[in-house]
Amino acid sequence: MEPVGGPRAKKGILERLDNGEVVVGDGSFLLTLEKRGFVKAGLWTPEAVVEHPSAVRQLHTEFLRAGADVLQTFTFSATEDNMESKWEDVNAAACDLAREVADGGNALVAGGLCQTSLYKYHKDKTRIKALFRRQLEVFARKNVDFLIAEYFEHVEEAVWAVDVLREAGKPVAVTMCIGPEGDMHDVTPGECAVKLAQAGADIIGVNCRFGPQTSLQTMKLMKEGLGDSGLQAHLMVQCLGFHTPDCGKGGFVDLPEYPFGLEPRVATRWDIQKYAREAYNLGVRYIGGCCGFEPYHIRAIAEELAPERGFLPPASDKHGSWGSGLNMHTKPWIRARARREYWENLLPASGRPFCPSLSKPDA
């Protein structure tokens, strides 16, 4: 199978999902741009779209080339309460950058917003909805293709976000940053999915906070909840690019390595191929990543699901399937690694003999 040569006919997100197509999401922005020197840890706000647009454009381009069908606007935490007077310019610039890159391929642009800092302390529904609505006004003016409410710890606030986003008349996706234990008010994943479907979300799932296997466990519970209630929605998963089997209910933010010592936990490309296949077998058709999910991870999704999609991404032109490019190596023991069985069964070492394999969460 050869990499696709040029743009294909652009279809909407629901048209693709209704047809049973695989939609590959994009990946990490905050942690990746922090490592590259364009985002400040702690604040985690996206001024880079205005201050360093070339850096954001480059990352969008890498995800597109790796096979992403959706480019999310880099608007995480870009609400007025977090960014004051800068919020509107940041949201507008983020939309323009995503559209500029998406139009060079077959990608859709998703306008994204996330949970607010107000909910935990005030739960002021009117004020929180007003913050969402102001972001939505920019997304509508910039004519994004669909909308994503992501990274919600509480289903109540996620429902409020869905209520607002539906006002634009565009498809709405919503993802929660929860694990199998449910949201921070102990609402189970299945109950969360039901509430979100009842609110009118078209696409439901999880993102961030947890690694591939834990996220898929949560998706299974969400799917079961929807099925038991006789409700339907498309399913979406965008997990971490890290292994986090030892984190608690709060996810990777409670691990002592967060955010500057997570590198030993990075998933291999082969781990992500397994994640993509298991997500597909579970019935999830929108599959991407979040923090720690680099462009090569997105390429791994696109390559694993190439038989279902019917094509490889452009970045596969420089990547031999399952290490096949190693056949050209001069050393025979490295040539012997040019096979799927080797990489599927490898148990990679961390190279850190005095470090534990698991940590104890701080919370």
Side-chain angles (χ1 to χ4, degrees):
M1 188 180 297
E2 295 295 323
V4 65
R8 303 175 307 285
K10 186 174 287 191
K11 296 183 288 187
I13 186 67
L14 293 184
E15 183 181 1
R16 298 180 192 208
L17 293 171
D18 288 343
N19 289 338
E21 297 179 24
V22 174
V23 172
V24 178
D26 60 7
S28 171
F29 272 79
L30 284 174
L31 290 192
T32 296
L33 289 173
E34 190 277 331
K35 290 177 181 178
R36 296 182 183 187
F38 301 107
V39 165
K40 188 171 184 178
L43 294 174
W44 300 120
T45 47
E47 294 93 341
V49 297
V50 173
E51 296 173 352
H52 303 285
S54 61
V56 179
R57 183 184 296 111
Q58 174 65 26
L59 191 50
H60 278 311
T61 301
E62 292 176 30
F63 283 128
L64 180 69
R65 190 168 181 273
D69 295 309
V70 175
L71 300 183
Q72 289 186 224
T73 58
F74 184 33
T75 47
F76 185 89
S77 290
T79 50
E80 187 176 12
D81 63 321
N82 288 326
M83 306 198 71
E84 299 179 339
S85 62
K86 296 184 288 186
W87 76 272
E88 188 167 8
D89 288 344
V90 164
N91 279 273
C95 291
D96 290 341
L97 285 169
R99 178 62 69 190
E100 175 190 340
V101 177
D103 283 351
N106 188 44
L108 302 171
V109 173
L113 54 76
C114 68
Q115 67 180 8
T116 67
S117 56
L118 297 178
Y119 180 83
K120 289 183 182 179
Y121 306 105
H122 304 295
K123 297 187 182 178
D124 186 334
K125 181 178 180 180
T126 300
R127 186 178 174 192
I128 290 170
K129 280 192 166 187
L131 289 173
F132 292 152
R133 195 167 284 114
R134 297 203 74 179
Q135 271 191 283
L136 176 61
E137 288 169 357
V138 179
F139 298 152
R141 186 168 74 245
K142 292 296 184 177
N143 196 30
V144 299
D145 297 303
F146 70 104
L147 302 155
I148 298 178
E150 66 172 3
Y151 198 80
F152 283 83
E153 295 175 296
H154 304 91
V155 70
E156 181 179 48
E157 189 182 18
V159 167
W160 296 349
V162 172
D163 289 342
V164 171
L165 294 184
R166 290 186 66 225
E167 295 170 6
K170 294 179 180 288
V172 174
V174 58
T175 53
M176 300 192 65
C177 54
I178 63 172
E181 294 181 59
D183 85 346
M184 290 305 183
H185 287 158
D186 296 321
V187 182
T188 69
E191 291 171 325
C192 287
V194 168
K195 290 177 182 293
L196 296 169
Q198 290 173 335
D202 301 292
I203 308 164
I204 293 170
V206 295
N207 82 295
C208 206
R209 289 289 182 96
F210 298 90
Q213 293 307 308
T214 304
S215 294
L216 292 179
Q217 291 172 26
T218 309
M219 289 305 305
K220 183 175 184 292
L221 295 172
M222 283 189 155
K223 181 180 180 180
E224 290 172 353
L226 290 171
D228 291 344
S229 299
L231 296 170
Q232 290 187 333
H234 296 294
L235 301 178
M236 171 180 181
V237 62
Q238 300 208 116
C239 71
L240 296 175
F242 306 110
H243 293 295
T244 62
D246 44 347
C247 65
K249 187 173 182 177
F252 81 138
V253 297
D254 295 336
L255 292 174
E257 298 94 338
Y258 174 86
F260 302 127
L262 291 164
E263 285 81 1
R265 295 174 174 269
V266 172
T268 69
R269 65 196 68 192
W270 318 119
D271 294 331
I272 298 306
Q273 289 206 206
K274 179 182 179 182
Y275 154 75
R277 179 55 57 191
E278 291 182 356
Y280 183 88
N281 291 342
L282 184 59
V284 182
R285 291 296 178 266
Y286 189 142
I287 307 169
C290 200
C291 294
F293 225 91
E294 297 293 329
Y296 72 93
H297 290 130
I298 295 299
R299 182 182 63 192
I301 296 174
E303 290 184 345
E304 175 63 29
L305 298 177
E308 288 77 12
R309 300 175 85 210
F311 60 93
L312 287 165
S316 292
D317 185 51
K318 298 295 184 180
H319 186 242
S321 177
W322 292 103
S324 60
L326 298 179
N327 275 324
M328 302 172 63
H329 206 280
T330 56
K331 295 179 173 58
W333 59 90
I334 295 180
R335 289 199 300 273
R337 299 171 189 167
R339 53 194 176 90
R340 177 171 182 160
E341 292 77 14
Y342 177 86
W343 295 109
E344 275 192 324
N345 295 304
L346 179 70
L347 299 176
S350 69
R352 297 173 179 269
F354 302 108
C355 293
S357 59
L358 301 175
S359 296
K360 182 178 180 181
D362 291 332

